[in-house]
Amino acid sequence: MVPHLITALTGPINELEQRILDSTPAIERWFRLEWMEHTPPFYCSVDIRNAGFKLAPVDTNLFPGGWNNLTQPMLPLAVQSAMAAIEKICPEAKNLLLIPENHSRNTFYLANVAQLQRIFHMAGLNVRVGSVDPEIKETKTIQLPNGDELTLEPVVRSKRRLGLKNFDPCTILLNNDLSAGAPGILEDLHEQYLLPPLHAGWSVRRKSRHFQSYEEVSKRFGKLLGIDPWLIHPMFAKCGEVDFAEGAGMDCLQTNVDALLTKVRRKYKEYGINEKPFVVVKADNGTYGMGIMTVHDAAELTSLNRKSRNKMAVVKDGQPVHDVIIQEGVLTAERMHDAMAEPVVYMMDRYVVGGFYRVHADRGPDENLNAPGSRFVPLAFAESTHLPQHGMKPGASAPNRFYMYGVIGRLALVAASYELEATDPEAEVY
């Protein structure tokens, strides 16, 4: 099932799709050369928005949940990619410890953990799930609505290693984004691979740093294709020392919002786009769709009510928001049964392994769809994961559309690899 676009099939997005399809050999070579120089994140998901006139990533998650939303036909590729990723890092790997989020009673999230366990088990590893939640003191088995069961065990830390009772893993896979900071129990591990690394967690990571890297990638990729990088890149600004609870730092926010809206208006005029520009203000280290608001005019910020300010003041795990990224808003022109939709692309190592549409019936084309009430519809990857079909008209073929989404997802993956290199505390500085 493929959502139909309400945008005209002669729009700029189809010209971009055609350019990408015509350039497939050059694009794939470009990615190969990038991966010779840089290491992709272990796994990743990317939220993409297709406005009909531009296509851009709006969020990149280095601890992706939602693996339970991938369909059965997508699993073989996920398993193969997991094998390739593990083989590269620890060829002799036998045991893998999977560490989920703390305090999660969300059965959809736990179904995602069970799906990851299944993927790595099929990749040939003994996989057990160990919790770093201090409240988990004994083994606990949870029945999931889909019939699966998940066994959570308390982790055991020896002087130099982390494992479970009678289980010593060489690889530890985090599905916990460390919003509240990295627990000491995960530090100073000896001869164990921690994936992703601690500095990928939200206690260190910043969205603005990622999009700075993505801007660099989009410029180089734009040059390769002979396109304006703006067509695949959301412009952004950042603002530090904001305090929504107290209403402090709002001048900085208003100034930056106004400046970015002016830039977007200029671009809309250049391309003859008759939409109303907007920006999205997000917590720079935010996650789970928290700490986000849409702004069409800087003046809106002067009259934020208490409820709106409180919503922006803290994110996951009660972390206060002081730094924000102001991102060019990208409309979504995708629809699924009249509900707004946006593609989410999943990758393991350097490979696109699947994805789905996030669909929300109660949100508008300029709103965040990662909110309560959203549902997930698998992308039509059954015919092919991301192999384009040449000779088809742009916009007419699902695999071509998804190949294009996969290209944008992989560009964000390259940007994430730059970002992790730049923030690696152990990297040598020349």
Side-chain angles (χ1 to χ4, degrees):
M1 183 197 297
V2 185
H4 64 280
L5 283 172
I6 61 164
T7 42
L9 293 180
T10 53
I13 205 71
N14 286 29
E15 292 165 30
L16 178 62
E17 185 180 314
Q18 190 65 61
R19 185 71 60 96
I20 285 174
L21 291 171
D22 291 345
S23 308
T24 301
I27 288 170
E28 294 306 324
R29 178 176 181 272
W30 187 88
F31 278 119
R32 279 198 303 276
L33 294 175
E34 283 297 313
W35 298 132
M36 285 172 70
E37 298 289 328
H38 305 281
T39 304
F42 187 78
Y43 56 5
C44 177
S45 70
V46 179
D47 296 356
I48 296 171
R49 300 275 281 210
N50 176 356
F53 53 83
K54 78 180 286 178
L55 180 74
V58 293
D59 212 5
T60 301
N61 190 349
L62 298 183
F63 298 86
W67 289 91
N68 52 311
N69 295 312
L70 301 191
T71 59
Q72 206 63 30
M74 297 177 192
L75 285 186
L77 195 67
V79 170
Q80 282 182 311
S81 303
M83 283 176 174
I86 288 288
E87 199 173 294
K88 207 163 65 176
I89 292 154
C90 181
E92 70 279 10
K94 183 172 70 171
N95 296 336
L96 181 137
L97 177 63
L98 177 53
I99 296 182
E101 293 284 351
N102 291 357
H103 315 301
S104 189
R105 292 170 186 79
N106 180 335
T107 53
F108 290 108
Y109 171 73
L110 295 173
N112 144 77
V113 175
Q115 179 82 303
L116 276 172
Q117 186 173 18
R118 185 180 299 114
I119 288 168
F120 285 95
H121 175 74
M122 288 193 286
L125 295 162
N126 301 314
V127 188
R128 283 162 69 176
V129 183
S131 178
V132 294
D133 185 344
E135 291 177 18
I136 302 285
K137 293 183 167 60
E138 54 189 37
T139 300
K140 178 179 175 186
T141 300
I142 301 161
Q143 298 297 323
L144 301 176
N146 63 0
D148 282 348
E149 64 176 34
L150 185 69
T151 301
L152 276 179
E153 301 177 64
V155 296
V156 177
R157 173 72 196 236
S158 65
K159 190 177 177 186
R160 310 185 77 188
R161 291 174 77 84
L162 187 71
L164 305 173
K165 190 178 177 185
N166 303 321
F167 186 77
D168 184 38
C170 84
T171 307
I172 299 165
L173 179 61
L174 289 175
N175 197 244
N176 178 324
D177 63 24
L178 309 176
S179 289
I185 200 168
L186 295 176
E187 294 175 348
D188 303 317
L189 297 173
H190 178 67
E191 293 182 354
Q192 283 181 307
Y193 295 94
L194 187 66
L195 305 166
L198 292 180
H199 67 279
W202 282 122
S203 51
V204 175
R205 193 173 177 234
R206 294 294 177 267
K207 292 183 181 188
S208 53
R209 184 71 193 73
H210 173 75
F211 281 99
Q212 188 183 332
S213 296
Y214 184 81
E215 184 173 18
E216 184 188 333
V217 170
S218 66
K219 282 177 180 169
R220 291 180 44 230
F221 190 77
K223 196 172 178 184
L224 174 77
L225 258 61
I227 60 165
D228 179 352
W230 178 75
L231 294 172
I232 56 171
H233 170 250
M235 295 187 287
F236 74 97
K238 62 178 181 173
C239 201
E241 299 310 312
V242 177
D243 189 329
F244 286 98
E246 298 297 326
M250 301 305 277
D251 291 350
C252 162
L253 190 56
Q254 277 184 285
T255 304
N256 279 286
V257 164
D258 199 43
L260 190 56
L261 281 169
T262 302
K263 284 185 185 173
V264 179
R265 279 189 206 102
R266 205 174 291 139
K267 277 293 182 186
Y268 278 22
K269 191 174 179 185
E270 181 186 335
Y271 284 91
I273 295 159
N274 295 318
E275 301 288 351
K276 184 170 174 139
F278 67 101
V279 297
V280 180
V281 178
K282 305 179 184 180
D284 209 6
N285 60 338
T287 183
Y288 279 111
M290 298 170 78
I292 295 180
M293 68 176 166
T294 300
V295 182
H296 294 87
D297 189 315
E300 294 168 27
L301 296 167
T302 57
S303 53
L304 279 185
N305 61 30
R306 171 62 63 184
K307 185 181 172 189
S308 299
R309 292 217 311 268
N310 287 346
K311 204 174 83 168
M312 289 298 296
V314 292
V315 286
K316 188 180 160 215
D317 293 333
Q319 296 299 303
V321 174
H322 294 302
D323 298 328
V324 295
I325 178 172
I326 302 142
Q327 196 175 57
E328 174 192 350
V330 183
L331 294 162
T332 181
E334 298 275 29
R335 303 287 185 276
M336 172 75 81
H337 305 311
D338 296 327
M340 297 300 154
E342 65 187 11
V344 184
V345 172
Y346 275 65
M347 288 158 286
M348 184 89 72
D349 193 56
R350 67 188 67 182
Y351 308 104
V352 174
V353 298
F356 52 79
Y357 277 95
R358 182 183 286 118
V359 181
H360 206 303
D362 301 322
R363 294 283 170 126
D366 60 352
E367 292 185 285
N368 170 36
L369 304 188
N370 187 8
S374 63
R375 60 192 179 89
F376 308 101
V377 179
L379 284 170
F381 272 152
E383 297 163 69
S384 143
T385 306
H386 65 273
L387 296 178
Q389 295 181 345
H390 292 279
M392 301 284 286
K393 282 184 182 172
S397 156
N400 285 357
R401 174 61 44 90
F402 301 138
Y403 176 71
M404 181 166 69
Y405 290 161
V407 167
I408 299 297
R410 286 185 288 161
L411 291 176
L413 190 70
V414 172
S417 73
Y418 290 13
E419 174 197 358
L420 289 177
E421 285 168 18
T423 55
D424 185 350
E426 293 178 15
E428 291 183 27
V429 179
Y430 294 98

